[in-house]
Amino acid sequence: MIVTRFAPSPNGHLHLGHAYSAIVAHDLAQAGNGRFLLRIEDIDGARSRPELADEFRHDLEWLGLEWDEVPAQSTRLESYEHAAQQLLERGLLYPCVCTRSDIRQAQPASGPEGPIYPGTCKNAVIDKSKPAALRLDLEKAMGQAGEIAWTDELSGAVIVDPRDFGDVVLVRKDEPASYHVAATLDDAIDGVTLVTRGSDLYSASHVHRLLQELLSLPVPHWHHHALLLDSDGKKLAKRRNSPSLSDLRNSSEDGRLLAEQLRLQRLPAGISLESA
Ligand code: GLU
């Protein structure tokens, strides 16, 4: 059975891009007589605003979607810690005490996902009194995993190459896990068979597929859909004045009609769909 999910982070209002993402995931599940899940990704304790989770549920209801909700990330911290512990015991993680400014000063190479960590703490004796994150030793991890691939429904088979992320942080200084560990574990726990999300998270799937291999988790398929862009060609964001779904809902727009228009890609003025 096909199981898809919509996994918003409660750190800002949902906008049309999120609506599109939820509709794609919902409709893919419905077409396969499957399940569409809602998961609140509140792993980032400092930025999460719990009241937004209820707002998200109202937004989805207003769009005419039905879903099953699975537990939020904040209830699953032990699973993430356990997974990180396994990787640590296998020597695949190393502590890193670098601050952002330490990393900037080391003039790291820059990749599409931002600066690539130059490995400063990998072989250094670190100051144990400082708060440490845990980073994945990518070279070692890829060596253990061997050549593996993942399948995107739109772009086909892709060989795993997470080098855009370098030695990515898997356990943050202030949280028991990073997004990558939490989302990968959750998709496995929730039985997700088709990870549906925007193409802005395409590169992250390389990291997630590698983690699945290292942690012997089931391997889903992926569907990275095109993104809604504003008239400047930038992805929609509340901070760039994209209307939030709650604003539209409160201004008595018809949510079901809006959902139909998004399905037919009849987009509001100034918004276009990035061709994948
Ligand atoms: N929580 C992420 C976001 O709101 C989505 C993560 C995912 O779909 O894997 O951007």
Side-chain angles (χ1 to χ4, degrees), residues 47-275:
R47 291 176 66 218
S48 283
R49 291 162 49 198
E51 72 281 7
L52 287 177
D54 252 346
E55 182 179 296
F56 294 177
R57 294 180 193 106
H58 285 129
D59 291 340
L60 296 185
E61 214 168 73
W62 175 70
L63 291 166
L65 306 183
E66 284 179 17
W67 67 92
D68 290 330
E69 184 160 350
V70 291
Q73 292 185 325
S74 53
T75 66
R76 289 179 165 168
L77 304 184
E78 272 178 27
S79 309
Y80 311 146
E81 274 162 358
H82 179 69
Q85 190 58 34
Q86 282 181 49
L87 297 175
L88 191 63
E89 281 164 14
R90 283 164 60 187
L92 295 174
L93 303 184
Y94 63 87
C96 170
V97 294
C98 290
T99 59
R100 274 174 211 269
S101 95
D102 293 335
I103 297 174
R104 249 194 324 272
Q105 273 169 27
Q107 299 187 325
S110 168
E113 299 298 326
I116 295 175
Y117 183 65
T120 322
C121 287
K122 190 165 159 179
N123 301 311
V125 179
I126 62 161
D127 177 350
K128 289 210 169 103
S129 66
K130 287 189 178 166
L134 292 174
R135 288 184 179 274
L136 182 66
D137 183 331
L138 192 61
E139 212 185 304
K140 225 177 187 179
M142 285 177 73
Q144 281 198 14
E147 186 170 286
I148 45 172
W150 55 279
T151 304
D152 182 272
E153 285 201 331
L154 302 176
S155 57
V158 192
I159 300 291
V160 167
D161 184 359
R163 278 175 292 185
D164 283 353
F165 285 90
D167 287 356
V168 65
V169 169
L170 293 190
V171 178
R172 291 173 27 171
K173 283 178 186 167
D174 51 348
E175 304 283 353
S178 70
Y179 154 68
H180 299 294
V181 171
T184 304
L185 258 284
D186 286 341
D187 285 335
I189 298 169
D190 297 334
V192 171
T193 62
L194 183 61
V195 174
T196 310
R197 58 185 171 210
S199 58
D200 51 336
L201 287 167
Y202 190 93
S203 300
S205 299
H206 286 282
V207 178
H208 301 181
R209 176 66 187 90
L210 176 60
L211 290 176
Q212 285 154 2
E213 193 67 18
L214 297 171
L215 294 165
S216 306
L217 299 174
V219 181
H221 279 194
W222 280 261
H223 179 110
H224 292 94
H225 59 75
L227 298 180
L228 296 192
L229 304 180
D230 64 18
S231 48
D232 296 332
K234 298 224 169 72
K235 125 182 144 151
L236 300 188
K238 181 71 175 129
R239 61 179 181 283
R240 281 196 295 271
N241 292 329
S242 304
S244 69
L245 298 186
S246 59
D247 288 345
L248 295 170
R249 184 156 52 80
N250 292 328
S251 68
S252 77
E253 294 270 343
D254 181 339
R256 284 170 193 261
L257 184 65
L258 175 70
E260 273 320 303
Q261 286 169 336
L262 288 174
R263 285 189 174 99
L264 297 169
Q265 298 181 16
R266 283 201 202 117
L267 304 171
I271 292 180
S272 61
L273 192 69
E274 162 221 53
S275 47

